């Protein structure tokens, strides 16, 4: 029912840019925080950026100044603009939403399926 659908991943060269999108669909009452995580092979999943309902962003130190998280509440969509990409940014990127599905009593965690970002020359 409620799901997060990601798009925008792909292969880019170092220094390039990529924009990820993740749209929440289904019968949604409200979306609270949204975020992007990433996980490289052999590594732990790490938080990349988070954004509140009001649009207040926070970033991991490793991406601060290069990535920008934003959201369009009318579209239930969160974006991640990635600039100045580095090989170490290569990972599967997952979007996250803390949201309340219509008819439910409380907010639940929802995850996207993940989209591959590869930065290589």
């Amino acid at each position: 029912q409620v799901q997060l659908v990601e798009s925008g991943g792909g292969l880019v060269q170092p220094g390039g840019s990529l924009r990820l999108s993740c749209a929440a669909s289904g019968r949604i009452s409200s979306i609270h925080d949204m975020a992007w995580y990433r996980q490289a092979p052999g590594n732990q999943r790490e938080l990349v950026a988070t954004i509140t309902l009001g649009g207040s962003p926070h970033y991991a130190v490793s991406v601060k100044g290069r990535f920008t998280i934003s959201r369009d509440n009318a579209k239930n969509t969160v974006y991640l603009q990635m600039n100045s990409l580095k090989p170490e940014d290569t990972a599967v990127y997952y979007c996250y939403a803390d949201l309340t599905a219509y008819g439910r009593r409380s907010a639940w965690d929802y995850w996207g399926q993940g989209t591959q970002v590869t930065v290589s020359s």
Side-chain angles (χ1 to χ4, degrees), residues 25-48:
S25 63
R27 299 188 67 186
I28 298 169
S29 178
S30 59
I31 302 179
H32 312 291
D33 290 356
M34 303 186 81
W36 289 94
Y37 289 74
R38 68 185 181 188
Q39 186 170 22
N43 292 352
Q44 295 292 314
R45 186 172 299 186
E46 64 174 339
L47 178 66
V48 176

Side-chain angles (χ1 to χ4, degrees), residues 11-91:
L11 173 65
V12 295
Q13 293 184 328
S17 297
L18 214 56
R19 192 191 193 209
L20 306 183
S21 301
C22 180
S25 63
R27 299 188 67 186
I28 298 169
S29 178
S30 59
I31 302 179
H32 312 291
D33 290 356
M34 303 186 81
W36 289 94
Y37 289 74
R38 68 185 181 188
Q39 186 170 22
N43 292 352
Q44 295 292 314
R45 186 172 299 186
E46 64 174 339
L47 178 66
V48 176
T50 184
I51 186 167
T52 67
L53 175 62
S56 180
H58 294 85
Y59 301 95
V61 172
S62 60
V63 307
K64 190 173 297 183
R66 300 187 298 119
F67 291 9
T68 302
I69 188 171
S70 61
R71 63 190 290 169
D72 185 336
N73 292 333
K75 296 181 178 180
N76 289 337
T77 299
V78 63
Y79 306 93
L80 186 67
Q81 178 66 47
M82 304 184 292
N83 299 327
S84 302
L85 283 162
K86 305 174 181 179
E88 50 263 46
D89 295 319
T90 296

